[in-house]
Amino acid sequence: MIMKWRSSYYFRLVLSYTLLAVVLIGITGGYLLTNAGEIVTSEVSKDAGYELLNVKELVENNFFRFYEDAFFNKVLMTFNKDSNEEIKYLLEHRAEGNVSRIVRFITDLGLIQDMTPGLDGVTVYMREGEYAMDNNRYYQTPDNSLDAAFIRQLDDIVPNQWFKREKPDSPGHQVMTYVFPLPYQSPPAKAAGFLYLDISLDHLSTMVRDALNYPESHVYMFDENGQMIIGGENAPPDEIAAVQHAMAGSANSQSAAGTFTRHGSSVISVLHRNDAMNRWNYVIVRPNESFQLSASKMKRQVWTACLMALLGGFIISFLMSRHFYMPLKKLLYSIRNLYTGPPPAAAGHEYAAIDHMLMFIDLSMLQMKDQVRTKQITGLITGQ
């Protein structure tokens, strides 16, 4: 019975359509599962790109602008000839006889620092009187300050730009510094003095980390010279090397939307320096695990869709096979009604049976034709 079923043409139709369904579904499902990783990587890179834009906006247009604006009015007063501000007066006069003004000014700077989170220090250097002040004390000569070496280099520093430096008061004390020449917008070589701000780099790093949507991400910021501003804390050396390699590749890219590369199970996204106001590089290393739940859900959906499609393929295979087999079955029954000969010698499919019966019917018709002809010849000979 099983051999008879296996040799059935209907079974072969069902089997052929089922195999076709399995092959097509396997190709489609395999393609989706194979590209699931690429799809996840693409989604991670897009999300990381949006996060980089948010970090860039936060750092440049919110964080740094907040500190610049906090002292902009004071600096602007140095350009106003009618201003009575202490900073304008001290810029034009020596320290002798103006101790009370200096004390008020230092107190004012201290209050501003206390009310401004993240502000590490404010220093003012007056070239006319060769003295300096910060938010804590007055220095009769800049050499008395721990920051004397930096003060002596103010003429050579590009003003109105943020840059990273290490303060000499303690090892590893890193800050972001912004220099205002005085009066406002004076060339450094002709400036009567300088005011510069120091922002705690730890405060900036904390603010950036708090702004991340996925805390496991690592953010790197590099200035236009390639010096790392923040990032790399507790990061393996191979990740830092991969980030620098990604930056080098980004510099050669013509894409305006940034680039991304894969590093192990993470995605490195780079925001081009041309997109940044101060030509800094922003890089984020985002683990793929942040999208693993979505990837697993997508794979389960692919498997479910493949199984449903396979079940539908079985049903369609039976229906299509039935559609093609029923006319053949009716033809087989019609021929069997005309066939009175012996059964086929070997069991085969329906086409073999039809061929056998048609061949036997054809032989029977030839024999009948010979018999009729013989009878006619016999009748003619006998005069019948």
Side-chain angles (χ1 to χ4, degrees):
M1 184 66 180
I2 296 177
M3 294 301 297
K4 182 179 179 181
W5 173 250
R6 287 182 179 179
S7 64
S8 171
Y9 179 68
Y10 182 66
F11 173 77
R12 296 188 179 186
L13 281 175
V14 172
L15 182 62
S16 61
Y17 286 126
T18 301
L19 289 176
L20 179 62
V22 170
V23 170
L24 293 178
I25 294 170
I27 292 174
T28 304
Y31 174 80
L32 292 176
L33 290 175
T34 302
N35 288 273
E38 296 297 330
I39 295 173
V40 171
T41 299
S42 177
E43 290 300 319
V44 171
S45 65
K46 290 179 182 178
D47 188 72
Y50 295 139
E51 201 163 26
L52 276 181
L53 290 174
N54 291 335
V55 170
K56 168 184 171 295
E57 181 71 17
L58 179 66
V59 170
E60 296 183 5
N61 296 332
N62 291 335
F63 184 81
F64 286 145
R65 183 62 58 85
F66 170 76
Y67 296 102
E68 294 171 27
D69 292 344
F71 288 88
F72 182 74
N73 289 334
K74 284 189 174 294
V75 174
L76 189 62
M77 290 298 102
T78 63
F79 186 74
N80 184 2
K81 295 181 179 180
D82 299 328
S83 173
N84 293 320
E85 288 281 339
E86 273 83 2
I87 187 172
K88 175 70 165 52
Y89 181 86
L90 295 174
L91 198 64
E92 299 172 349
H93 298 81
R94 292 183 174 271
E96 292 81 1
N98 296 303
V99 176
S100 60
R101 286 181 175 270
I102 292 175
V103 171
R104 283 199 303 268
F105 186 66
I106 293 175
T107 303
D108 190 18
L109 293 179
L111 290 175
I112 294 176
Q113 185 193 21
D114 293 339
M115 294 185 297
T116 308
L119 185 61
D120 193 87
V122 187
T123 305
V124 180
Y125 167 64
M126 301 298 185
R127 180 176 284 170
E128 175 67 22
E130 278 294 317
Y131 66 94
M133 301 170 287
D134 59 23
N135 49 284
N136 292 316
R137 65 193 63 184
Y138 159 75
Y139 304 99
Q140 188 174 7
T141 174
D143 294 334
N144 295 333
S145 171
L146 292 176
D147 221 8
F150 179 75
I151 293 175
R152 295 301 184 186
Q153 297 174 357
L154 287 173
D155 290 346
D156 302 324
I157 293 176
V158 179
N160 304 317
Q161 288 187 5
W162 289 97
F163 57 91
K164 177 182 175 181
R165 73 185 184 98
E166 184 170 337
K167 295 187 73 172
D169 53 358
S170 61
H173 185 188
Q174 295 180 327
V175 294
M176 296 297 297
T177 302
Y178 190 92
V179 178
F180 289 102
L182 305 176
Y184 178 62
Q185 289 188 340
S186 300
K190 299 180 180 180
F194 296 92
L195 182 150
Y196 61 90
L197 318 175
D198 292 323
I199 308 301
S200 171
L201 199 61
D202 291 336
H203 181 71
L204 174 61
S205 300
T206 301
M207 185 271 302
V208 171
R209 284 196 300 268
D210 293 342
L212 296 178
N213 296 328
Y214 189 71
E216 299 302 323
S217 301
H218 295 163
V219 176
Y220 297 81
M221 289 169 50
F222 297 85
D223 62 17
E224 59 181 351
N225 298 320
Q227 181 187 12
M228 185 185 296
I229 299 175
I230 64 171
E233 300 87 355
N234 301 322
D238 60 331
E239 180 179 294
I240 298 177
V243 167
Q244 294 174 341
H245 180 72
M247 283 201 310
S250 174
N252 299 325
S253 175
Q254 300 299 322
S255 174
T259 59
F260 71 92
T261 57
R262 299 188 66 173
H263 173 64
S265 61
S266 302
V267 176
I268 301 176
S269 296
V270 181
L271 183 65
H272 292 169
R273 63 173 57 187
N274 292 333
D275 294 337
M277 179 179 63
N278 50 14
R279 296 180 59 80
W280 287 358
N281 280 314
Y282 293 83
V283 184
I284 187 169
V285 180
R286 185 76 175 270
N288 272 341
E289 284 76 5
S290 58
F291 273 75
Q292 284 301 318
L293 294 178
S294 299
S296 300
K297 181 179 179 180
M298 183 181 67
K299 289 182 179 180
R300 288 195 299 270
Q301 291 174 346
V302 170
W303 279 111
T304 303
C306 288
L307 292 175
M308 293 180 63
L310 185 59
L311 178 61
F314 277 120
I315 296 174
I316 294 174
S317 297
F318 279 103
L319 293 178
M320 292 181 65
S321 300
R322 180 180 176 81
H323 175 74
F324 286 105
Y325 181 73
M326 290 308 295
L328 177 64
K329 188 175 181 180
K330 291 181 180 179
L331 176 62
L332 181 61
Y333 285 155
S334 299
I335 295 175
R336 280 179 176 173
N337 290 332
L338 300 175
Y339 177 70
T340 58
H349 54 76
E350 285 77 352
Y351 279 110
I354 292 173
D355 183 64
H356 173 80
M357 288 185 290
L358 289 177
M359 182 179 64
F360 185 84
I361 292 173
D362 186 53
L363 291 175
S364 299
M365 291 180 65
L366 289 176
Q367 290 177 359
M368 291 175 61
K369 187 183 293 185
D370 291 340
Q371 291 175 0
V372 170
R373 182 174 295 178
T374 302
K375 287 182 180 181
Q376 289 177 346
I377 293 174
T378 304
L380 289 175
I381 294 175
T382 60
Q384 298 177 358

